[in-house]
Amino acid sequence: MRQKPTILDRRIVATSRLFCVEELKLRFSNGVERTYERLAGKGAGYGAVMIVAMLDADHAVLVEEYCGGTDAYELSLPKGLIEPGEDVLAAAERELKEEAGFGARQLEHLTELSLSPGYMSQKIQVVLATDLYEERLEGDEPEPMRVDKVNLGELSALAQNPQFTEGRALAALYLARDLLTQRGAYLP
């Protein structure tokens, strides 16, 4: 196992309403020193969830929302922040109801994914939701989200859709498809 670099200095160099840019001065085990910057979420950092919600054995829920990072409406999986005092599965249930109008009788934590670990500290918990039922909660979205679906057998085509660009969502869909296939719940 490699020895992690020693942190010589750490300081916040920029802040916004949502993020901090942290500068890290590091010394590696071979004596080389470097300065890294990373984007960190502000506040206590309770994390986030992304939900692969299965409408039936073949189809997962997608939502369309405006994304400031790309300045476009994008398709992705329902997702959101975990609130203080909330566990991963409760957050997934709430976000699914707020964004897609569904609850789930079965929720299962699949994995944790990062977006860009070279410069971002945030991670997202991936949850599989099955046995859905209609239920909507008021969310914090500025406008209603359009709900769509994707066939798990068409993920390669989804990856070519210019409106679907989030790598974490694609990875989560493939993971869920593989797990459901192993369990015999999805038969391609």
Side-chain angles (χ1 to χ4, degrees), residues 17-118:
R17 183 176 59 85
L18 297 175
F19 301 104
C20 296
V21 177
E22 184 178 42
E23 181 181 86
L24 299 172
K25 292 188 188 254
L26 304 172
R27 180 180 299 126
F28 288 82
S29 61
N30 63 0
V32 174
E33 294 184 10
R34 290 285 190 273
T35 300
Y36 281 58
E37 289 182 350
R38 69 179 181 182
L39 189 61
K42 289 178 86 173
Y46 298 102
V49 295
M50 174 178 282
I51 306 101
V52 179
M54 298 302 299
L55 289 166
D56 56 38
D58 299 320
H59 297 91
V61 172
L62 296 177
V63 292
E64 179 190 62
E65 69 177 316
Y66 176 78
C67 297
T70 58
D71 186 29
Y73 281 90
E74 301 257 351
L75 288 169
S76 190
L77 295 171
K79 61 186 167 298
L81 296 177
I82 299 170
E83 295 180 355
E86 201 173 40
D87 71 20
V88 169
L89 298 182
E93 175 85 357
R94 178 184 49 75
E95 287 292 343
L96 184 58
K97 289 177 181 178
E98 290 176 1
E99 295 193 356
F102 290 103
R105 292 180 187 89
Q106 297 290 320
L107 294 159
E108 177 182 356
H109 181 259
L110 296 184
T111 194
E112 178 180 79
L113 296 173
S114 63
L115 180 59
S116 187

